[in-house]
Structures are given as C-alpha cells and as structure tokens.
Amino acid sequence: MTMVLKPGRPGRPRRRWWRREGVQGYVYISPWLLGFLMFGVAPLIAAFLTSLSKANVFRTIRFVGLDNYQKILTDDPVFATIAGNMLIYVIGSTIISIGLGLALALLLHRDFRGNHVFRTLIYVPSLLVGIATAYLFKQVFQGGEVGLANMFLGVFGAGPVNWLGNSEQPWLALVALILVNVWFAGGTMLIFLAGLKGIPPAYFEAARVDGAGPWQMFRRVTLPLLSPVIVFNTIMALIGHIQVFETPLAFANNGGISTGNPLGYENSLGTFVTYLYVKGFVYQDMGYASALAFIMFAATLVLTSLVLWFARRFTAYGDSERN
Amino acid sequence: MQDVLDKPRGDAAPPAAPVAPRCRRKGVRSRWGLTGRITALSLFCLLLLFPFLWLVSQSLKDTNQYFARPFQWIPDPVRWENFTDVIFKYDFLHYIGNSLWLAVYAVVVNILSSSFVAYGFSRFRFPGRNALFMVVLATMMLPGQVMTISLYRVYRDIGWIDTFWPLLVPKLFGAAFEIFLFRQFFLSLPREIDEAARIDGCGTLRTWWHVILPQSKPVIIVVAVFTFLGSWRELFGPLIYLTGEENRTLPLGLLYFTSPFGSSLPMLMAAIVISLIPPIVLYALGQKYIDKGVAIAEIK
C-alpha cells in the first residue's frame, strides 16, 4: 500500500490522522467508552426491555408491556411494605449521615491536640462498611441479654429489647438498621471537613468583628457557604441509602439465604435491593426484578431532584442574605 | 464537584488549615468550648469503639463464655485458637486467598485503566469531551443492580457463571470515580512537563507512562486504597456470579457462615475480625503515604 502524501495546509505542521489531538483523545478514553457501551448502555436497554416482558421457566419470553410495573405499584403488598420501609430508612439514615456528619465536622474544625486521632477514629469505621460489620451489628442488636445494645440499655435499667426477631413490633428491626448508620457517619464528616476548610477564615473573622455569636456564625456564615457541600453529601447519602443491601440481608438472614426469609419478619427488613435480589436471583423472575430496579432508579432520581430543587431555593436565599 | 475531589485528598492532606486566629477577649470562653468539644468527641468515639471492642472480646471466647453473665470484657481463658480454627478448619484461608487476589487484580487494573482514560480527558481537546465527562460522572448515580440483571443473563448464556470472569472483565474499562480522581489530579500537573517530554521526542503514550504516572503517586495510592476496599467488601456481584463453594470470596464466606461443629458465634466474630483487619492496616499504611505524597506534590 502506498501512502499518498497530501500537502498539508500552510502554517500547520502536517500530522497523520491518528496523531491528531482529537483522535488521540478518543483513543485514550476508548476503554471507558467501550466499557460504558458494553456494561452500561447495552445492559440498561436490555434491562428496560426485560422489564416489559415476562419469562417463564422454559425461558420463553413474552412481551407484557407495563404489566410488571403495574403489578409492583398497585398489586404487590410486599413492595408496599418495602416502599414504606425505604421511606423511613432513607429519611432516618440520611438525617443521621448528614446531621451527625456535619456536627462532627464542626466539632473537629478547629486545631487542637488530638484532632487527628479523633478524625481517624471516626473515619475508619466508615471504611469497614460491608457484610462483616453487618454481621457484627446483627450480634450487637441480638435479643435477650447477649447483644451489646441490650447490655447498654441494661445499664440504664431498660429491659432487653427484641430488636431483630420481634413479630409484634417488626419496626424495631428497621430502627436498628437505621441506628447502624451512626457508626458510618465518618465518610460524610470528612467531606464536610474539607468543605469547612474551603471557607476563607476572613468570613468568620468579619462576622466575629461584627459581633456574631456562635449560632449566628453557623446560621449566617457556615451554613450558606457550606450549602454546596451539604447538597452534594445529601445526594450521595440518599443514593447510598436507597441501595442498602448487606446490613438488611445479614439482619434478616437466619442461616442460609435461600431457606430463611431474606426480608425479615413481615418483610420489615425488606429493601429495594434485597427484594430485587430475591425476585431476580432466588425466584429467577428477571422481568419483575428489572422493573423493580427501574422503580428504584426512578425513586433515586425523584429524591435527587427534590434535593436539588430544595437547594436552589435555599442557596438563593443564602445568597440574597449575604449580599 | 470540587468537593468530591477533596474527599480522599482532604483526608490525606495534613491538617494544613490556617490556624484559626484566636480571639484574646474570648479566651476563657473558647477554652471551655474546647473542653466541651473534646468531651463530646471522646464520648462519641467511645460509642463508636464499643462494638468493635466487644467484637474482639467475643471473638476470643468459647460459646459458653460468649453467653455468660456477667459479661467479661477480657475473656478468661483467652481462646486465640478461634482465629486459627476459622482460618484453617472453616476454610477461610481459601476465601481470603480468593478475595486477596481479586482485590490486587482490581487495584492494578483499575489504576492502569482509569489513569489511561483520565489522561485522555485531561490532556486532549476533542469534540464532545466535556459532555462525555459529564456522562462519566452521571454513571456514578446509576444503581449497578439495574445492569446486573441483564449482564447476569449474558454471562449465564456464555457460561461465565461461577467463574471469576464477570468480576474481572468489567474492571478493564476503568471506573467512574477513579477516572474522576485521576483527571482532577492530572489537571493540577503543569502542562509544561508534557511539553518538555514532547520536545524530547516522547509520544503521548510514553508521556503518560514515564512522565505523568510517576508524578501521580498520591492519587495512585488513594485510588489503590479505595479500589482495594471496594473489592474487598463487594458482596452483590460475587453473590450472584460465584455460586460454587470453591470460588467463594471472604464476604460470601461470612454470609454463608454456618458452623459444621454446632453453634459457634465466637467463630463468626473471629471471622469478622479477620475480614476487618486488612482494610484497617491498609488505611493506616495508605494514610501515611498519602500525607507524604501530598506534601511532596505541594512543594513542587
């Protein structure tokens, strides 16, 4: 093959086509692009098509339109329970992650001896989240006097609580599930700390000179200036909590995932992902599970846009106050 | 989005925050405030630590001691053999091995692929670059389970179920958060070093490998730590794809923990301790390196 050399445009160094910046850029991002198409876009489309279909045991697939969605949203008492669980869980856990994370960051946002030790101690547990800590907290919230939680309550004279296996008060399991997030607030704390460090000290100084007290300082300086970080953290916390999986699975698991009920007593520990897992991979109803996944995704989008909508009003308010 | 970047680096950076100017008039008040702060933090840390101390204590007991009242914080006798039993008799050695090589693979591959892609995003101008980068960020919001269902069917049809391929192959293509971290770091590196390399006759590929990557130690370590932790604790993927006992990872071993020798909660606790140690050690090592790395990067 002969290479035909065309005269390059005047004033520009002649380059072969694959040497061009644009082409090279695409070459470098091509692994991601390829992965995105193969493991992102294609499965997403396939999952959507699956969610519109129903497959029986012989894998013959039938198109059923929005039947799966309709069944989930109107005619599935388990999903109704789970949606309720998720609403309580996500709100409760996000309040803990954000409130506690922010409070801890404010406490640590001053240089004092030992600051580093506290920061590390609070941050490290959030790195350990997973099935191991899920089983740990399952034992912590064990009923009777064995569990640490009940030992702790016993010190104050409160009776042992049957947290996880309570058929009369199944919501207690959900409370335990939410409380576990106290141990994992370190991640959001760290981001808040970084955000606090990004606020120029001059603002605090100016407020101090104007005679602002600690509360005013927090309300009028810290909160407005930190609001982008708060919004970011809230969205990340929401996404994370909606996808909670290991802890509820461990809490509900009574030896053997497939034999026990992975959703807990009266489905009190059912979450979107555990239910999806049960439907899709225990009962092999992929169409139903796909529809569940999209409903979960839709819930994520709705909550995220709610936060953003709220934030727009809030930050605008903060802006007008600052000026 | 600046905040995202600050997450690992902010934690890594030595507390370089400007020392808050002390106000002399309020000296007494702020000292009380400081005492209050430290008290509150100490109480909270105590609360945080209690389950973990309890865990270690319970992992060194036998079943009778586990349930004994009153509670003994320091077991008597201490049963260290719980740990060797879990590792050898309960086959955790095998699970740890599986988890370890998967995590090491994830770290190596993720650093290479993500930095490669990030190099493209940070050093080249091409049509659609910013839009595509927004797509990278947007993929972080997608719940992975949506894709898992269709991927599972594909893997099933090509016979990849109960093999490690479904966990290995997707990692070759970079991960969104890591690409983001690398890109932000690369943007902070001066372009002059690229120019110098180019003038010296380096192609872009060699620039990436010989110039950019050696400068990126801090972000490489951060990505390594986060990727290792992510792989080490991953449950959903292995649970679905690895159905046989032979291929179980550590999280799966924990999930299916049942004792062939009767009820054995202390053994479970020992298994939990074992699976928590590597992340803690890694963080301890990583943090030190990251602190240094960031300090070096800032001097230059």
Side-chain angles (χ1 to χ4, degrees):
Chain A
M1 210 169 95
T2 49
M3 199 84 160
V4 183
L5 292 176
K6 288 178 192 164
R9 266 181 282 172
R12 270 198 189 182
R14 198 179 62 232
R15 295 223 182 133
R16 278 169 233 166
W17 67 270
W18 67 86
R19 281 281 172 90
R20 268 200 296 213
E21 196 179 347
V23 177
Q24 285 213 326
Y26 271 103
V27 169
Y28 279 101
I29 69 158
S30 63
W32 169 77
L33 207 56
L34 210 64
F36 174 63
L37 293 176
M38 287 195 310
F39 300 100
V41 176
L44 201 65
I45 296 170
F48 184 66
L49 293 177
T50 312
S51 76
L52 303 177
S53 71
K54 201 163 179 62
N56 64 16
V57 211
F58 307 107
R59 290 199 204 165
T60 38
I61 294 160
R62 201 158 42 86
F63 181 78
V64 293
L66 294 173
D67 273 11
N68 285 324
Y69 293 91
Q70 197 191 10
K71 178 143 192 289
I72 291 169
L73 293 174
T74 60
D75 192 25
D76 184 350
V78 179
F79 181 79
T81 312
I82 285 170
N85 290 347
M86 287 312 288
L87 197 66
I88 298 168
Y89 175 80
V90 169
I91 291 174
S93 306
T94 305
I95 288 173
I96 288 181
S97 303
I98 300 301
L100 195 59
L102 183 56
L104 290 167
L106 288 170
L107 284 174
L108 281 170
H109 180 54
R110 253 213 17 212
D111 268 333
F112 55 86
R113 202 179 278 270
N115 182 307
H116 191 75
V117 178
F118 283 126
R119 210 178 49 171
T120 308
L121 275 179
I122 296 170
Y123 179 57
V124 167
S126 71
L127 295 173
L128 306 177
V129 61
I131 192 71
T133 46
Y135 268 133
L136 165 61
F137 283 102
K138 185 186 180 179
Q139 299 311 320
V140 165
F141 284 105
Q142 206 54 256
E145 286 175 1
V146 194
L148 181 67
N150 283 345
M151 266 171 63
F152 184 74
L153 287 178
V155 174
F156 301 100
V161 177
N162 186 2
W163 294 94
L164 302 181
N166 202 324
S167 50
E168 278 160 28
Q169 291 154 307
W171 51 270
L172 274 172
L174 199 60
V175 172
L177 202 62
I178 293 171
L179 283 179
V180 170
N181 287 297
V182 168
W183 275 265
F184 304 128
T188 42
M189 173 204 75
L190 212 63
I191 304 177
F192 277 132
L193 261 181
L196 285 171
K197 278 181 187 157
I199 300 176
Y203 287 121
F204 293 111
E205 196 51 35
R208 211 180 335 241
V209 169
D210 288 349
W215 169 249
Q216 276 179 311
M217 196 98 86
F218 172 72
R219 179 67 194 77
R220 311 276 171 181
V221 182
T222 314
L223 213 53
L225 288 174
L226 203 61
S227 55
V229 186
I230 296 174
V231 171
F232 170 79
N233 260 344
T234 309
I235 290 175
M236 292 318 262
L238 280 176
I239 293 174
H241 291 317
I242 286 177
Q243 296 182 30
V244 64
F245 177 60
E246 283 97 340
T247 319
L249 191 71
F251 275 23
N253 179 20
N254 298 311
I257 297 302
S258 41
T259 53
N261 177 8
L263 303 177
Y265 276 94
E266 295 176 22
N267 308 315
S268 60
L269 282 167
T271 66
F272 284 151
V273 183
T274 49
Y275 191 45
L276 184 151
Y277 170 72
V278 170
K279 277 290 175 188
F281 299 100
V282 180
Y283 295 116
Q284 298 277 327
D285 190 348
M286 294 294 181
Y288 206 77
S290 298
L292 276 172
F294 276 100
I295 288 173
M296 178 172 94
F297 187 35
T300 313
L301 285 183
V302 167
L303 283 176
T304 308
S305 23
L306 261 178
V307 172
L308 287 174
W309 175 79
F310 208 75
R312 204 167 300 137
R313 297 191 58 176
F314 182 76
T315 41
Y317 177 63
D319 277 335
S320 64
E321 265 195 337
R322 247 187 289 153
N323 295 333
Chain B
M1 292 313 276
Q2 184 67 27
D3 334 305
V4 194
L5 172 69
D6 284 345
K7 181 185 170 190
R9 291 189 66 198
D11 111 67
V19 179
R22 296 261 159 80
C23 193
R24 267 184 225 112
R25 261 189 310 155
K26 289 180 181 170
V28 182
R29 194 186 178 187
S30 77
R31 182 157 308 156
W32 276 111
L34 192 64
T35 316
R37 245 167 232 255
I38 292 178
T39 315
L41 285 168
S42 305
L43 284 175
F44 185 72
C45 283
L46 211 61
L47 177 76
L48 282 192
L49 278 179
F50 250 97
F52 294 99
L53 296 176
W54 183 79
L55 166 74
V56 173
S57 166
Q58 294 287 61
S59 72
L60 295 169
K61 297 179 173 177
D62 66 22
T63 310
N64 284 334
Q65 289 168 296
Y66 186 97
F67 290 100
R69 292 280 154 266
F71 187 79
Q72 271 190 317
W73 281 99
I74 296 168
D76 176 38
V78 177
R79 284 179 56 92
W80 295 106
E81 59 268 34
N82 281 356
F83 285 87
T84 49
D85 281 0
V86 162
I87 290 178
F88 297 110
K89 286 193 195 158
Y90 287 73
D91 221 13
F92 266 67
L93 190 63
H94 189 75
Y95 307 150
I96 293 170
N98 281 342
S99 272
L100 205 61
W101 81 259
L102 279 175
V104 170
Y105 166 88
V107 168
V108 173
V109 166
N110 206 359
I111 288 173
L112 291 178
S113 58
S114 295
S115 70
F116 189 82
V117 172
Y119 180 60
F121 273 119
S122 66
R123 282 300 193 264
F124 299 89
R125 262 167 296 138
F126 51 88
R129 182 182 67 173
N130 292 339
L132 281 172
F133 191 67
M134 289 311 288
V135 175
V136 173
L137 296 181
T139 55
M140 284 196 267
M141 311 261 165
L142 266 178
Q145 296 85 8
V146 183
M147 276 78 84
T148 312
I149 292 167
S150 351
L151 288 172
Y152 173 84
R153 303 210 301 189
V154 175
Y155 296 145
R156 188 182 58 193
D157 292 341
I158 59 177
W160 277 10
I161 296 303
D162 206 20
T163 68
F164 288 112
W165 295 114
L167 301 175
L168 298 177
V169 173
K171 302 228 160 56
L172 292 169
F173 300 93
F177 183 62
E178 281 73 10
I179 292 173
F180 173 71
L181 285 181
F182 270 117
R183 173 188 177 263
Q184 299 305 92
F185 187 85
F186 291 167
L187 286 179
S188 75
L189 291 176
R191 281 215 175 222
E192 284 75 30
I193 60 172
D194 295 44
E195 282 298 307
R198 198 176 60 81
I199 288 162
D200 289 348
C202 242
T204 51
L205 191 65
R206 284 180 36 178
T207 306
W208 166 68
W209 182 253
H210 287 295
V211 180
I212 300 286
L213 276 187
Q215 302 266 345
S216 310
K217 203 175 162 191
V219 69
I220 287 176
I221 289 170
V222 171
V223 168
V225 170
F226 277 79
T227 308
F228 187 96
L229 292 176
S231 171
W232 185 257
R233 66 164 162 248
E234 192 189 359
L235 179 71
F236 196 76
L239 176 63
I240 287 160
Y241 302 131
L242 306 175
T243 46
E245 259 181 67
E246 183 62 20
N247 290 337
R248 271 183 195 168
T249 60
L250 191 53
L252 282 182
L254 273 173
L255 186 70
Y256 290 116
F257 189 94
T258 43
S259 167
F261 319 112
S263 160
S264 188
L265 285 171
M267 297 290 176
L268 175 63
M269 302 308 252
I272 294 173
V273 173
I274 289 169
S275 75
L276 293 185
I277 288 172
I280 294 175
V281 170
L282 198 71
Y283 175 72
L285 290 176
Q287 194 185 25
K288 199 170 149 193
Y289 274 98
I290 293 163
D291 280 3
K292 260 190 211 158
V294 170
I296 291 167
E298 275 169 358
I299 292 165
K300 277 180 183 168

